[in-house]
Amino acid sequence: MAVLRVRHCRALLYCRRAPPRCPACGGDLRAAGLSAAPVRLDCPFRHGHGQPRAFLIRPTRGTFLDAYDGHCDLHVGITSSQGVVYNYDQEGVHRDGSGWEQCISIPLVQPDMWELLQQWDSLLEEFSLEEAWLPHRYEEQQHNCYTFALAFINRVRQGGGGAALSKAEFTERFLLARSREAARYLRLQQQLATRDVYIVPLAEQEQESVDRNQSLLE
């Protein structure tokens, strides 16, 4: 169910349905004008199979909006141009056509990268067939789904003359902002599970911008 945000009396009110009066000051929200108009928050989770050429993150079990507590293991994968998710675990490489319906998604290719757009599927398939991704090579801490995805990204980056990214660099540059956004959204969902309105003073709001247009492969 959607989350709405209403700004009023130096506070942000989060709710499912905008109340007629502000629970913080008692003022009439219907008479407060456009500044207090409800705004629907964008959900940070995407249907992964509709996200071509992307890096996806989902819980290993269940979904983010289904009782995810922030401590369960996460699983990652790379999508083809058709939304098939290539991912690696102890059974080897999987090519999933379902099961990734609620993910954090990071686009990997810009629309003007014409040559890479055409080659993506063949590069991904060839990479997935390499000996490094056989089942017996899997190791939970050092050679896992993240290793597979980042190794493919670096293969493509280096093929285009870019530098390889370490796990720490990739996480800091491209994952942290989206992960924090998802965590905030989940906290709101949890708060609204037990109350009609969640009030946050404006001074407590983190001001954080995310460059959604930067490409990992540039």
Side-chain angles (χ1 to χ4, degrees), residues 118-135:
Q118 301 305 307
Q119 297 176 348
W120 186 264
D121 287 352
S122 60
L123 291 172
L124 183 55
E125 179 63 23
E126 290 170 8
F127 178 81
S128 70
L129 296 175
E130 294 180 3
E131 185 177 348
W133 315 117
L134 291 174

Side-chain angles (χ1 to χ4, degrees), residues 43 45-48 57-75 98-104 182 186 189-190:
C43 178
F45 307 117
R46 300 289 180 266
H47 193 301
I57 309 171
R58 67 164 172 80
T60 301
R61 296 179 180 83
T63 65
F64 282 113
L65 294 175
D66 182 21
Y68 178 70
D69 62 3
H71 301 292
C72 300
D73 289 340
L74 298 173
H75 194 45
S98 63
W100 297 73
E101 287 77 16
Q102 196 180 102
C103 305
I104 297 172
L186 289 174
Q189 292 282 355
Q190 292 164 358

Side-chain angles (χ1 to χ4, degrees), residues 8-85:
H8 193 259
C9 68
R10 300 187 61 79
L12 295 180
L13 316 176
Y14 294 95
C15 51
R16 304 287 190 192
R17 179 179 299 174
R21 308 194 73 83
C22 175
C25 71
D28 188 349
L29 291 177
R30 294 167 297 187
L34 288 177
S35 63
V39 176
R40 179 172 176 164
L41 298 188
D42 288 334
C43 178
F45 307 117
R46 300 289 180 266
H47 193 301
H49 300 290
Q51 304 291 311
R53 307 177 187 91
F55 178 96
L56 302 182
I57 309 171
R58 67 164 172 80
T60 301
R61 296 179 180 83
T63 65
F64 282 113
L65 294 175
D66 182 21
Y68 178 70
D69 62 3
H71 301 292
C72 300
D73 289 340
L74 298 173
H75 194 45
V76 306
I78 302 285
T79 55
S80 71
S81 65
Q82 302 301 312
V84 175
V85 185

